[in-house]
Amino acid sequence: MLQLSAALRPTGGGFRHKIFDKKPVALESDSQEKRRNRVAGAAENRYFCKYNEHQYAALMTKAEIVKQIAGQTGLESKMVAGVVEALLERIRAAQIGGQNVYFRGFGSFVRRERAAKKARDISRNTTVLVPAHTVPAFKPSKAFVECLKK
């Protein structure tokens, strides 16, 4: 939990929230499974897909993916980590270069154009213009969406 310095705390009878009075709590070291289950609802939010024989919690890190692939294939974790990192770098480079990336049966990494719009800067109480820009997005395939519905 974030502990704010005395300079950032509200003063003069203003609104005080409980976060300002609590001290940071050190979490005990425990297994990855328990850490994942601390996420709200992760224990109840498991997905099962007929294309995949395993069940996973709602939160999975790159390190966990590398560990599982290394365990299934028998390859070294460093080699698998290099392949995963190279895949992600190629997806990133393609997106930066203006290309979309398609994985049949999984989904597409696409670029979406956002139009210019007006927004409010509430700290200055002014209207600002947000220019048109491109954002990365993921569009799951129909098979993947059906898998998640079950």
Side-chain angles (χ1 to χ4, degrees), residues 114-149:
R114 300 282 189 234
K117 64 179 181 177
K118 292 180 182 176
R120 298 283 302 162
D121 183 354
I122 59 172
S123 64
R124 294 187 179 124
N125 198 19
T126 59
T127 302
V128 294
L129 182 65
V130 177
H133 58 282
T134 305
V135 295
F138 176 75
K139 182 182 176 194
S141 70
K142 289 180 182 178
F144 189 41
V145 170
E146 287 299 318
C147 177
L148 291 177
K149 286 182 180 178

Side-chain angles (χ1 to χ4, degrees), residues 62-90:
K62 185 168 41 170
E64 291 171 339
I65 292 172
V66 168
K67 182 179 176 183
Q68 288 180 358
I69 292 173
Q72 289 174 354
T73 61
L75 298 173
E76 293 180 9
S77 293
K78 286 185 179 183
M79 184 182 296
V80 174
V83 170
V84 170
E85 193 60 44
L87 173 70
L88 295 176
E89 184 56 40
R90 289 306 315 148

Side-chain angles (χ1 to χ4, degrees), residues 12-25:
F15 175 74
R16 262 183 90 76
H17 192 272
K18 290 185 235 175
I19 191 171
F20 297 121
D21 298 326
K22 290 187 177 178
K23 295 188 190 243
V25 177

Side-chain angles (χ1 to χ4, degrees), residues 19-36:
I19 191 171
F20 297 121
D21 298 326
K22 290 187 177 178
K23 295 188 190 243
V25 177
L27 296 175
E28 66 216 22
S29 62
D30 49 6
S31 69
Q32 295 287 345
E33 182 71 25
K34 288 182 182 177
R35 182 178 58 79
R36 268 190 262 120

